[in-house]
Amino acid sequence: MANSPKFTFSLLISIIVLYFSTATLSSPPVRRSKHAPRFLGKFSRASNITGRPGPNVVGAPRYRYETRYFDQNLDHFSFSDLPKFRQRYLINTEYWAGPNLGPIFFYCGNEGDIEWFAANTGFVWELAPRFGAMIIFPEHRYYGESMPYGSQEVAYKNASTLAHLTAEQALADFAVLITELKRNLSAQACPVVLFGGSYGGMLAAWMRLKYPHIAIGALVSSAPVLQFEDVVPPETFYDIVSNDFRRESISCFNTIKESWDVIESEGQKTNGLSHLTETFRFCRKLESADDLSNWLSSAYSYLAMGDYPYPADFLMPMPGNPIKEVCRKIDNSPEGSSILERIFEGVSIYYNYTGTVDCFDLDDDPHGMNGWNWQACTEMVMPFASSKNTSMFPAYEYDETSDAEWCLESYHVKPRPTWITTEFGGHGFKNALKKFGSNIIFSNGLLDPWSGGSVLEDISETIVALVTEKGAHHLDLRPATADDPDWLLEQRAAEVELIQGWLDQYYGQNKAVFDM
């Protein structure tokens, strides 16, 4: 698309969705702001994958890996004669100390192209030489090139072909892949350490609990494992985003909070949508004021996720401390600027920091297919709401019935809002972890809106929470830069020490068994 930023991704998955007409895909309905957003699905249609860190990652190395494919069972939990699919994985063995000596660092692939996650997870690459580790980045089924039925078009055709897109199947993929690779490399004795950020972090935590014989520990970053049912208040996400802006500037917070009514009012005027289109420089005329509100809401939320202390292009090219820059633009707009003009100046830090975009499109791919919406309509049911008093976003309550209706219309399926807590835990999660879990690091930065759905306190001596006040979305997993603050260096050092302890214990126990 000629007018899109080079590194553009989807504006917000809540705006771009799929639905079924009869049993096949058709034009997507608009998902209004009153519905739960699909923030985690941000990565599921990432484009311009290079397998290399972005240009704003200071001093990041070029990661070397071999791309391989593994024939996976489509359904691990039945004996039906279903076609296998090729699961892509990236592997690097140049630092590996070999069988019986070197560990395996295994990143649990997220909801997108695995090369993009590999490029943005420098911490794993930087640790490998120190530990003599093999590196493996497996791709999550139904994303990137790991597409069942031979193509994305067929795999996403209807509820029947999408039925095997679940977290349980993905974890089984990882377990089978690890087991087979270790057997083929005569590396059965090599310990496996799991890594994961966001949804990948959720998978890493759940895999450590579900397959403790497969991996000895997991570094779980920015993973909202408790963002289900009523385990945490549904207002948590938007409250944290709002607090991120409030801490930078009360006037900025208030301007954003006031802007929603101004947008709605302007949209109801005779030429209001044309005025909004012109003010925010959209390539095509807005069809509703809600479309603009969703576009802005998306930006503010991603700004909170990517509020890193240095320039980065993880979500979009942005400066260091981007929320500070947004608020500076809003607060320092020329005298006489309207609220809408000030909001546009601010949000351009997210959508057009490079200054290369002439006009904006609400939808960067109207025919794009998205697997996260399916997951969110089946088992990944995360309630969201916005508080009237504490949020800068329009107030709304979580509407489970409306979400269920949308999913039924879109996919002909009914969500199972209690399945994740049944399968992996949620209520009483901390007690369960304390009794049955071990060797998990939950790392979070409190600027990250997903931190509110994660584990923020130590559970036991071996299940540890590392929390940083100024950290954003899995910042600790990103490549090291010359601008890393001391608190980030200390956080990573603590993670390295814990991982070293897991490995020392494993090798010590194995030596004792061998000596016997």
Side-chain angles (χ1 to χ4, degrees), residues 64-66 90-95 125 133-136:
R64 294 184 295 274
Y65 50 75
E66 181 183 350
L90 316 178
I91 184 170
N92 177 297
T93 59
E94 65 180 297
Y95 309 115
W125 299 95
M134 177 194 304
I135 302 171
I136 301 175

Side-chain angles (χ1 to χ4, degrees), residues 69-85:
Y69 297 86
F70 180 79
D71 289 337
Q72 279 284 9
N73 288 325
L74 182 58
D75 186 358
H76 294 286
F77 307 112
S78 78
F79 294 90
S80 302
D81 186 20
L82 295 172
K84 292 180 180 288
F85 73 95

Side-chain angles (χ1 to χ4, degrees), residues 17-286:
V17 293
L18 305 173
Y19 87 119
F20 291 99
S21 174
T22 65
T24 58
L25 293 171
S26 183
S27 301
V30 174
R31 190 174 183 87
R32 300 301 181 187
S33 58
K34 66 180 180 180
H35 297 287
R38 298 291 186 246
F39 292 117
L40 280 174
K42 170 72 176 180
F43 315 110
S44 60
R45 295 194 296 112
S47 57
N48 298 300
I49 304 300
T50 64
R52 300 289 181 265
N56 292 322
V57 181
V58 181
R62 289 183 173 270
Y63 307 132
R64 294 184 295 274
Y65 50 75
E66 181 183 350
T67 301
R68 298 181 185 176
Y69 297 86
F70 180 79
D71 289 337
Q72 279 284 9
N73 288 325
L74 182 58
D75 186 358
H76 294 286
F77 307 112
S78 78
F79 294 90
S80 302
D81 186 20
L82 295 172
K84 292 180 180 288
F85 73 95
R86 299 179 78 209
Q87 181 181 20
R88 179 170 58 156
Y89 66 96
L90 316 178
I91 184 170
N92 177 297
T93 59
E94 65 180 297
Y95 309 115
W96 189 39
N100 303 317
L101 293 174
I104 297 172
F105 287 175
F106 189 93
Y107 182 92
C108 295
N110 298 54
E111 70 285 22
D113 191 300
I114 193 58
E115 287 193 309
W116 188 76
F117 292 104
N120 282 278
T121 313
F123 186 60
V124 172
W125 299 95
E126 292 155 10
L127 280 190
R130 172 173 180 162
F131 287 95
M134 177 194 304
I135 302 171
I136 301 175
F137 276 80
E139 192 162 60
H140 194 297
R141 57 170 53 206
Y142 285 83
Y143 293 107
E145 295 182 12
S146 301
M147 204 61 60
Y149 302 106
S151 73
Q152 181 172 278
E153 182 180 5
V154 178
Y156 282 48
K157 184 178 180 181
N158 54 39
S160 176
T161 57
L162 279 166
H164 298 102
L165 173 50
T166 68
E168 297 88 347
Q169 297 282 4
L171 292 179
D173 288 342
F174 296 159
V176 170
L177 177 62
I178 291 173
T179 301
E180 291 301 315
L181 282 178
K182 291 177 74 172
R183 180 180 293 115
N184 292 338
L185 296 170
S186 299
Q188 288 93 335
C190 291
V192 175
V193 177
L194 304 172
F195 296 82
S198 197
Y199 172 51
M202 297 162 72
L203 293 174
W206 292 336
M207 186 168 181
R208 171 60 185 155
L209 295 173
K210 289 289 185 179
Y211 297 93
H213 57 292
I214 296 288
I216 66 168
L219 171 54
V220 178
S221 184
S222 298
V225 292
L226 304 179
Q227 193 79 40
F228 298 94
E229 288 187 69
D230 57 353
V231 181
V232 298
E235 301 85 7
T236 300
F237 184 97
Y238 282 123
D239 279 352
I240 294 176
V241 176
S242 300
N243 287 336
D244 288 352
F245 281 82
R246 185 189 285 110
R247 69 188 289 272
E248 293 295 348
S249 167
I250 293 295
S251 61
C252 175
F253 172 93
N254 288 333
T255 298
I256 294 172
K257 190 175 181 67
E258 294 168 9
S259 69
W260 310 111
D261 287 340
V262 176
I263 291 170
E264 183 178 1
S265 176
E266 185 67 26
Q268 293 174 352
K269 296 178 181 178
T270 302
N271 295 316
L273 291 178
S274 295
H275 179 233
L276 291 174
T277 300
E278 180 180 351
T279 300
F280 287 88
R281 300 182 189 175
F282 289 111
C283 302
R284 299 188 301 272
K285 183 179 178 181
L286 288 167

Side-chain angles (χ1 to χ4, degrees), residues 328-375:
R328 185 176 63 83
K329 284 286 189 179
I330 289 176
D331 291 342
N332 296 334
S333 292
E335 187 175 352
S337 298
S338 69
I339 283 184
L340 296 180
E341 290 169 337
R342 290 155 65 191
I343 290 296
F344 174 75
E345 288 298 318
V347 79
S348 292
I349 292 293
Y350 179 75
Y351 284 120
N352 192 22
Y353 179 60
T354 61
T356 59
V357 182
D358 296 322
C359 65
F360 300 100
D361 279 299
L362 285 172
D363 185 349
D364 63 356
D365 180 7
H367 305 295
M369 298 181 178
N370 178 279
W372 184 257
N373 277 326
W374 165 266
Q375 291 188 257

Side-chain angles (χ1 to χ4, degrees), residues 38 59 61 132 167 339 366 450 456 463:
R38 298 291 186 246
I339 283 184
W450 291 112
L456 301 178
I463 299 182

